[in-house]
Short mmCIF file of all heavy atoms in Angstrom, two decimals:
data_model
loop_
_atom_site.label_atom_id
_atom_site.label_comp_id
_atom_site.label_asym_id
_atom_site.label_seq_id
_atom_site.Cartn_x
_atom_site.Cartn_y
_atom_site.Cartn_z
N MET A 1 -4.98 -8.89 -5.75
CA MET A 1 -4.60 -8.46 -4.44
C MET A 1 -3.91 -7.12 -4.56
O MET A 1 -3.08 -6.91 -5.44
CB MET A 1 -3.65 -9.49 -3.83
CG MET A 1 -3.13 -9.11 -2.50
SD MET A 1 -2.11 -10.45 -1.89
CE MET A 1 -1.12 -9.57 -0.75
N LEU A 2 -4.26 -6.20 -3.67
CA LEU A 2 -3.60 -4.90 -3.61
C LEU A 2 -2.63 -4.92 -2.44
O LEU A 2 -3.00 -5.27 -1.32
CB LEU A 2 -4.61 -3.77 -3.41
CG LEU A 2 -4.02 -2.38 -3.20
CD1 LEU A 2 -3.27 -1.92 -4.45
CD2 LEU A 2 -5.11 -1.39 -2.82
N VAL A 3 -1.39 -4.55 -2.71
CA VAL A 3 -0.38 -4.39 -1.66
C VAL A 3 -0.09 -2.90 -1.62
O VAL A 3 0.41 -2.33 -2.60
CB VAL A 3 0.89 -5.20 -1.98
CG1 VAL A 3 1.92 -5.02 -0.90
CG2 VAL A 3 0.55 -6.67 -2.16
N LEU A 4 -0.43 -2.26 -0.52
CA LEU A 4 -0.27 -0.82 -0.41
C LEU A 4 0.80 -0.52 0.64
O LEU A 4 0.72 -1.00 1.77
CB LEU A 4 -1.59 -0.17 -0.02
CG LEU A 4 -1.62 1.34 -0.19
CD1 LEU A 4 -2.98 1.78 -0.68
CD2 LEU A 4 -1.26 2.07 1.08
N ALA A 5 1.79 0.25 0.25
CA ALA A 5 2.89 0.61 1.14
C ALA A 5 2.92 2.11 1.32
O ALA A 5 2.61 2.87 0.40
CB ALA A 5 4.22 0.15 0.55
N GLY A 6 3.30 2.52 2.52
CA GLY A 6 3.58 3.94 2.76
C GLY A 6 4.98 4.24 2.29
O GLY A 6 5.92 3.47 2.53
N GLU A 7 5.14 5.34 1.62
CA GLU A 7 6.44 5.72 1.05
C GLU A 7 7.56 5.75 2.09
O GLU A 7 8.69 5.36 1.80
CB GLU A 7 6.31 7.08 0.37
CG GLU A 7 7.60 7.61 -0.21
CD GLU A 7 7.44 9.01 -0.77
OE1 GLU A 7 6.65 9.81 -0.22
OE2 GLU A 7 8.10 9.29 -1.78
N VAL A 8 7.25 6.20 3.30
CA VAL A 8 8.29 6.34 4.33
C VAL A 8 8.09 5.35 5.47
O VAL A 8 8.57 5.57 6.59
CB VAL A 8 8.36 7.80 4.86
CG1 VAL A 8 8.81 8.75 3.77
CG2 VAL A 8 7.01 8.24 5.41
N ASP A 9 7.44 4.24 5.21
CA ASP A 9 7.22 3.21 6.22
C ASP A 9 8.54 2.50 6.53
O ASP A 9 9.14 1.89 5.65
CB ASP A 9 6.18 2.19 5.71
CG ASP A 9 5.79 1.16 6.75
OD1 ASP A 9 6.44 1.07 7.80
OD2 ASP A 9 4.82 0.44 6.49
N LEU A 10 8.99 2.59 7.76
CA LEU A 10 10.23 1.94 8.16
C LEU A 10 10.03 0.47 8.49
O LEU A 10 10.95 -0.33 8.40
CB LEU A 10 10.85 2.67 9.36
CG LEU A 10 11.22 4.13 9.13
CD1 LEU A 10 11.74 4.76 10.41
CD2 LEU A 10 12.22 4.25 8.00
N ASN A 11 8.83 0.09 8.88
CA ASN A 11 8.53 -1.29 9.24
C ASN A 11 8.36 -2.17 8.00
O ASN A 11 8.82 -3.31 7.98
CB ASN A 11 7.26 -1.34 10.10
CG ASN A 11 6.97 -2.73 10.61
OD1 ASN A 11 7.80 -3.36 11.25
ND2 ASN A 11 5.78 -3.23 10.31
N SER A 12 7.68 -1.65 7.01
CA SER A 12 7.42 -2.39 5.76
C SER A 12 7.71 -1.45 4.58
O SER A 12 6.79 -0.97 3.92
CB SER A 12 5.96 -2.84 5.70
OG SER A 12 5.62 -3.58 6.84
N PRO A 13 8.99 -1.20 4.31
CA PRO A 13 9.32 -0.25 3.25
C PRO A 13 8.86 -0.76 1.88
O PRO A 13 8.71 -1.97 1.67
CB PRO A 13 10.85 -0.16 3.32
CG PRO A 13 11.29 -1.36 4.07
CD PRO A 13 10.16 -1.78 4.94
N PRO A 14 8.62 0.15 0.95
CA PRO A 14 8.11 -0.24 -0.36
C PRO A 14 8.90 -1.36 -1.06
O PRO A 14 8.27 -2.25 -1.63
CB PRO A 14 8.13 1.07 -1.16
CG PRO A 14 7.87 2.11 -0.11
CD PRO A 14 8.64 1.62 1.09
N PRO A 15 10.23 -1.38 -1.02
CA PRO A 15 10.92 -2.49 -1.70
C PRO A 15 10.57 -3.86 -1.09
O PRO A 15 10.36 -4.83 -1.82
CB PRO A 15 12.40 -2.17 -1.51
CG PRO A 15 12.45 -0.69 -1.35
CD PRO A 15 11.21 -0.36 -0.58
N ALA A 16 10.48 -3.93 0.23
CA ALA A 16 10.11 -5.19 0.88
C ALA A 16 8.65 -5.54 0.58
O ALA A 16 8.31 -6.71 0.35
CB ALA A 16 10.33 -5.09 2.39
N THR A 17 7.81 -4.54 0.56
CA THR A 17 6.40 -4.77 0.26
C THR A 17 6.23 -5.24 -1.18
O THR A 17 5.39 -6.11 -1.46
CB THR A 17 5.60 -3.47 0.51
OG1 THR A 17 5.84 -3.04 1.85
CG2 THR A 17 4.12 -3.68 0.34
N ALA A 18 7.03 -4.72 -2.09
CA ALA A 18 6.98 -5.17 -3.49
C ALA A 18 7.38 -6.64 -3.59
O ALA A 18 6.77 -7.40 -4.35
CB ALA A 18 7.89 -4.31 -4.35
N GLU A 19 8.37 -7.05 -2.83
CA GLU A 19 8.77 -8.46 -2.83
C GLU A 19 7.63 -9.34 -2.31
O GLU A 19 7.37 -10.42 -2.84
CB GLU A 19 10.01 -8.68 -1.97
CG GLU A 19 11.28 -8.19 -2.62
CD GLU A 19 12.50 -8.56 -1.81
OE1 GLU A 19 12.55 -9.68 -1.25
OE2 GLU A 19 13.41 -7.71 -1.74
N TYR A 20 6.98 -8.89 -1.26
CA TYR A 20 5.84 -9.62 -0.72
C TYR A 20 4.74 -9.76 -1.78
O TYR A 20 4.19 -10.84 -1.98
CB TYR A 20 5.30 -8.92 0.53
CG TYR A 20 4.12 -9.59 1.15
CD1 TYR A 20 4.25 -10.80 1.82
CD2 TYR A 20 2.86 -9.00 1.08
CE1 TYR A 20 3.16 -11.43 2.39
CE2 TYR A 20 1.76 -9.62 1.65
CZ TYR A 20 1.92 -10.83 2.30
OH TYR A 20 0.83 -11.44 2.86
N GLY A 21 4.44 -8.68 -2.45
CA GLY A 21 3.43 -8.72 -3.50
C GLY A 21 3.80 -9.66 -4.62
O GLY A 21 2.93 -10.26 -5.26
N GLY A 22 5.10 -9.82 -4.86
CA GLY A 22 5.57 -10.71 -5.91
C GLY A 22 5.25 -12.18 -5.65
O GLY A 22 5.36 -13.01 -6.55
N LEU A 23 4.86 -12.49 -4.44
CA LEU A 23 4.50 -13.87 -4.10
C LEU A 23 3.11 -14.25 -4.60
O LEU A 23 2.75 -15.43 -4.58
CB LEU A 23 4.56 -14.08 -2.59
CG LEU A 23 5.93 -13.87 -1.93
CD1 LEU A 23 5.80 -13.95 -0.41
CD2 LEU A 23 6.92 -14.90 -2.44
N PHE A 24 2.34 -13.27 -5.01
CA PHE A 24 0.95 -13.50 -5.42
C PHE A 24 0.77 -13.16 -6.89
O PHE A 24 1.16 -12.08 -7.32
CB PHE A 24 0.00 -12.64 -4.57
CG PHE A 24 0.08 -12.94 -3.11
CD1 PHE A 24 0.98 -12.27 -2.30
CD2 PHE A 24 -0.73 -13.91 -2.55
CE1 PHE A 24 1.07 -12.56 -0.95
CE2 PHE A 24 -0.66 -14.20 -1.20
CZ PHE A 24 0.25 -13.53 -0.40
N PRO A 25 0.17 -14.05 -7.65
CA PRO A 25 -0.07 -13.74 -9.06
C PRO A 25 -1.02 -12.54 -9.19
O PRO A 25 -1.98 -12.41 -8.45
CB PRO A 25 -0.71 -15.01 -9.63
CG PRO A 25 -0.99 -15.91 -8.49
CD PRO A 25 -0.36 -15.34 -7.26
N ARG A 26 -0.71 -11.66 -10.10
CA ARG A 26 -1.53 -10.49 -10.41
C ARG A 26 -1.66 -9.48 -9.27
O ARG A 26 -2.56 -8.64 -9.27
CB ARG A 26 -2.92 -10.92 -10.91
CG ARG A 26 -2.88 -11.78 -12.16
CD ARG A 26 -4.24 -12.04 -12.75
NE ARG A 26 -5.27 -12.39 -11.79
CZ ARG A 26 -5.69 -13.63 -11.52
NH1 ARG A 26 -5.14 -14.64 -12.14
NH2 ARG A 26 -6.65 -13.85 -10.65
N ALA A 27 -0.79 -9.54 -8.28
CA ALA A 27 -0.83 -8.54 -7.21
C ALA A 27 -0.43 -7.18 -7.78
O ALA A 27 0.38 -7.09 -8.70
CB ALA A 27 0.13 -8.92 -6.08
N GLU A 28 -1.04 -6.14 -7.24
CA GLU A 28 -0.71 -4.78 -7.65
C GLU A 28 -0.12 -4.04 -6.46
O GLU A 28 -0.61 -4.16 -5.34
CB GLU A 28 -1.96 -4.04 -8.12
CG GLU A 28 -2.54 -4.60 -9.39
CD GLU A 28 -3.73 -3.79 -9.88
OE1 GLU A 28 -3.81 -2.58 -9.59
OE2 GLU A 28 -4.60 -4.39 -10.53
N LEU A 29 0.94 -3.30 -6.71
CA LEU A 29 1.59 -2.50 -5.67
C LEU A 29 1.20 -1.05 -5.82
O LEU A 29 1.24 -0.49 -6.92
CB LEU A 29 3.11 -2.63 -5.76
CG LEU A 29 3.92 -1.73 -4.82
CD1 LEU A 29 3.70 -2.12 -3.36
CD2 LEU A 29 5.40 -1.78 -5.18
N ALA A 30 0.81 -0.44 -4.72
CA ALA A 30 0.56 1.00 -4.68
C ALA A 30 1.41 1.56 -3.56
O ALA A 30 1.46 1.00 -2.46
CB ALA A 30 -0.91 1.30 -4.42
N VAL A 31 2.12 2.64 -3.82
CA VAL A 31 2.93 3.31 -2.80
C VAL A 31 2.30 4.67 -2.55
O VAL A 31 2.18 5.49 -3.46
CB VAL A 31 4.40 3.45 -3.24
CG1 VAL A 31 5.20 4.19 -2.18
CG2 VAL A 31 5.01 2.08 -3.51
N GLN A 32 1.89 4.89 -1.32
CA GLN A 32 1.24 6.15 -0.96
C GLN A 32 2.30 7.17 -0.56
O GLN A 32 3.00 6.99 0.45
CB GLN A 32 0.25 5.93 0.18
CG GLN A 32 -0.54 7.16 0.51
CD GLN A 32 -1.70 6.87 1.44
OE1 GLN A 32 -2.43 5.91 1.24
NE2 GLN A 32 -1.86 7.70 2.45
N PRO A 33 2.45 8.24 -1.33
CA PRO A 33 3.46 9.25 -1.05
C PRO A 33 3.30 9.88 0.34
O PRO A 33 2.18 10.18 0.77
CB PRO A 33 3.25 10.30 -2.14
CG PRO A 33 2.49 9.60 -3.22
CD PRO A 33 1.66 8.57 -2.52
N GLY A 34 4.41 10.04 1.02
CA GLY A 34 4.42 10.73 2.31
C GLY A 34 3.84 9.94 3.46
O GLY A 34 3.82 10.43 4.59
N ALA A 35 3.36 8.75 3.23
CA ALA A 35 2.71 7.97 4.28
C ALA A 35 3.72 7.04 4.96
O ALA A 35 4.69 6.60 4.36
CB ALA A 35 1.56 7.15 3.70
N GLY A 36 3.41 6.74 6.21
CA GLY A 36 4.22 5.80 6.98
C GLY A 36 3.51 4.46 7.08
O GLY A 36 2.87 4.00 6.14
N HIS A 37 3.60 3.85 8.26
CA HIS A 37 3.07 2.51 8.46
C HIS A 37 1.54 2.46 8.50
O HIS A 37 0.95 1.41 8.32
CB HIS A 37 3.65 1.91 9.74
CG HIS A 37 3.41 0.44 9.89
ND1 HIS A 37 3.95 -0.48 9.03
CD2 HIS A 37 2.67 -0.26 10.78
CE1 HIS A 37 3.57 -1.69 9.39
NE2 HIS A 37 2.78 -1.59 10.45
N PHE A 38 0.90 3.60 8.75
CA PHE A 38 -0.56 3.66 8.80
C PHE A 38 -1.05 4.66 7.76
O PHE A 38 -1.49 5.76 8.10
CB PHE A 38 -1.04 4.04 10.20
CG PHE A 38 -0.60 3.08 11.26
CD1 PHE A 38 0.42 3.42 12.14
CD2 PHE A 38 -1.20 1.84 11.38
CE1 PHE A 38 0.84 2.54 13.12
CE2 PHE A 38 -0.79 0.95 12.36
CZ PHE A 38 0.24 1.29 13.23
N PRO A 39 -1.02 4.30 6.48
CA PRO A 39 -1.35 5.26 5.43
C PRO A 39 -2.77 5.78 5.51
O PRO A 39 -3.04 6.90 5.09
CB PRO A 39 -1.09 4.49 4.13
CG PRO A 39 -1.13 3.05 4.51
CD PRO A 39 -0.69 2.98 5.94
N TRP A 40 -3.69 5.00 6.06
CA TRP A 40 -5.08 5.46 6.18
C TRP A 40 -5.21 6.57 7.21
O TRP A 40 -6.16 7.33 7.17
CB TRP A 40 -6.01 4.29 6.53
CG TRP A 40 -5.60 3.54 7.76
CD1 TRP A 40 -6.00 3.79 9.05
CD2 TRP A 40 -4.70 2.45 7.83
NE1 TRP A 40 -5.40 2.91 9.92
CE2 TRP A 40 -4.59 2.06 9.18
CE3 TRP A 40 -3.97 1.74 6.89
CZ2 TRP A 40 -3.78 1.02 9.61
CZ3 TRP A 40 -3.18 0.70 7.33
CH2 TRP A 40 -3.10 0.34 8.66
N LEU A 41 -4.25 6.69 8.12
CA LEU A 41 -4.25 7.79 9.09
C LEU A 41 -3.48 9.00 8.55
O LEU A 41 -3.84 10.14 8.82
CB LEU A 41 -3.62 7.35 10.41
CG LEU A 41 -4.37 6.28 11.19
CD1 LEU A 41 -3.59 5.90 12.45
CD2 LEU A 41 -5.77 6.73 11.55
N ASP A 42 -2.41 8.73 7.81
CA ASP A 42 -1.58 9.82 7.29
C ASP A 42 -2.29 10.65 6.24
O ASP A 42 -2.13 11.87 6.20
CB ASP A 42 -0.27 9.26 6.72
CG ASP A 42 0.60 8.63 7.78
OD1 ASP A 42 0.54 9.06 8.95
OD2 ASP A 42 1.34 7.68 7.45
N ASP A 43 -3.05 10.00 5.37
CA ASP A 43 -3.80 10.71 4.33
C ASP A 43 -5.00 9.84 3.94
O ASP A 43 -4.95 9.09 2.96
CB ASP A 43 -2.92 10.98 3.12
CG ASP A 43 -3.56 11.89 2.10
OD1 ASP A 43 -4.81 12.06 2.12
OD2 ASP A 43 -2.83 12.44 1.26
N PRO A 44 -6.08 9.92 4.74
CA PRO A 44 -7.23 9.05 4.49
C PRO A 44 -7.81 9.17 3.08
O PRO A 44 -8.18 8.16 2.48
CB PRO A 44 -8.26 9.51 5.53
CG PRO A 44 -7.47 10.19 6.60
CD PRO A 44 -6.28 10.78 5.90
N ALA A 45 -7.88 10.37 2.55
CA ALA A 45 -8.47 10.55 1.23
C ALA A 45 -7.65 9.84 0.15
O ALA A 45 -8.20 9.19 -0.74
CB ALA A 45 -8.60 12.03 0.90
N ARG A 46 -6.35 9.96 0.24
CA ARG A 46 -5.48 9.31 -0.74
C ARG A 46 -5.56 7.78 -0.61
O ARG A 46 -5.56 7.05 -1.59
CB ARG A 46 -4.05 9.78 -0.60
CG ARG A 46 -3.15 9.28 -1.71
CD ARG A 46 -1.81 9.92 -1.66
NE ARG A 46 -1.94 11.25 -2.23
CZ ARG A 46 -0.92 12.03 -2.54
NH1 ARG A 46 0.30 11.63 -2.32
NH2 ARG A 46 -1.12 13.21 -3.05
N PHE A 47 -5.65 7.30 0.63
CA PHE A 47 -5.79 5.86 0.87
C PHE A 47 -7.08 5.33 0.26
O PHE A 47 -7.08 4.33 -0.45
CB PHE A 47 -5.74 5.58 2.38
CG PHE A 47 -5.91 4.14 2.72
CD1 PHE A 47 -4.84 3.26 2.66
CD2 PHE A 47 -7.14 3.64 3.12
CE1 PHE A 47 -5.00 1.92 2.97
CE2 PHE A 47 -7.32 2.30 3.44
CZ PHE A 47 -6.22 1.44 3.36
N VAL A 48 -8.18 6.03 0.51
CA VAL A 48 -9.48 5.62 -0.03
C VAL A 48 -9.46 5.65 -1.56
O VAL A 48 -9.99 4.76 -2.22
CB VAL A 48 -10.62 6.48 0.55
CG1 VAL A 48 -11.91 6.27 -0.21
CG2 VAL A 48 -10.80 6.20 2.03
N ALA A 49 -8.81 6.66 -2.13
CA ALA A 49 -8.73 6.75 -3.59
C ALA A 49 -7.95 5.57 -4.17
O ALA A 49 -8.35 5.01 -5.19
CB ALA A 49 -8.06 8.07 -3.99
N ALA A 50 -6.85 5.19 -3.53
CA ALA A 50 -6.04 4.07 -4.02
C ALA A 50 -6.81 2.75 -3.94
O ALA A 50 -6.82 1.96 -4.89
CB ALA A 50 -4.73 3.97 -3.24
N VAL A 51 -7.45 2.52 -2.81
CA VAL A 51 -8.21 1.28 -2.64
C VAL A 51 -9.42 1.27 -3.58
O VAL A 51 -9.72 0.26 -4.21
CB VAL A 51 -8.62 1.08 -1.16
CG1 VAL A 51 -9.54 -0.11 -1.01
CG2 VAL A 51 -7.38 0.91 -0.28
N GLY A 52 -10.09 2.41 -3.68
CA GLY A 52 -11.25 2.50 -4.56
C GLY A 52 -10.88 2.25 -6.01
O GLY A 52 -11.59 1.56 -6.73
N ALA A 53 -9.75 2.81 -6.45
CA ALA A 53 -9.30 2.60 -7.83
C ALA A 53 -9.00 1.12 -8.07
O ALA A 53 -9.32 0.59 -9.14
CB ALA A 53 -8.07 3.45 -8.12
N PHE A 54 -8.43 0.47 -7.10
CA PHE A 54 -8.13 -0.96 -7.24
C PHE A 54 -9.41 -1.77 -7.34
O PHE A 54 -9.52 -2.67 -8.16
CB PHE A 54 -7.29 -1.44 -6.06
CG PHE A 54 -7.08 -2.92 -6.06
CD1 PHE A 54 -6.18 -3.52 -6.91
CD2 PHE A 54 -7.81 -3.74 -5.21
CE1 PHE A 54 -5.99 -4.89 -6.93
CE2 PHE A 54 -7.64 -5.11 -5.21
CZ PHE A 54 -6.73 -5.70 -6.07
N LEU A 55 -10.38 -1.46 -6.52
CA LEU A 55 -11.63 -2.23 -6.49
C LEU A 55 -12.49 -2.01 -7.73
O LEU A 55 -13.30 -2.87 -8.07
CB LEU A 55 -12.42 -1.90 -5.22
CG LEU A 55 -11.77 -2.35 -3.92
CD1 LEU A 55 -12.59 -1.87 -2.74
CD2 LEU A 55 -11.60 -3.86 -3.89
N ARG A 56 -12.32 -0.86 -8.38
CA ARG A 56 -13.09 -0.61 -9.61
C ARG A 56 -12.59 -1.52 -10.67
O ARG A 56 -13.03 -1.98 -11.56
CB ARG A 56 -12.97 0.83 -10.06
CG ARG A 56 -13.94 1.74 -9.34
CD ARG A 56 -14.04 3.11 -10.00
NE ARG A 56 -13.10 4.11 -9.57
CZ ARG A 56 -12.94 4.57 -8.32
NH1 ARG A 56 -13.59 4.06 -7.34
NH2 ARG A 56 -12.10 5.53 -8.06
#
């Protein structure tokens, strides 16, 4: 499972998102720099790269 957090997300900040990911075995955390709650809108290319790297 990939848990992706925006670096500046106030709704789901990276520390809280990391705790959520800790509930799942083998979960991976990715923090997208400069992104907020909608990282796919803030930097679509970086979002696609993170998800693509996880799926490979």
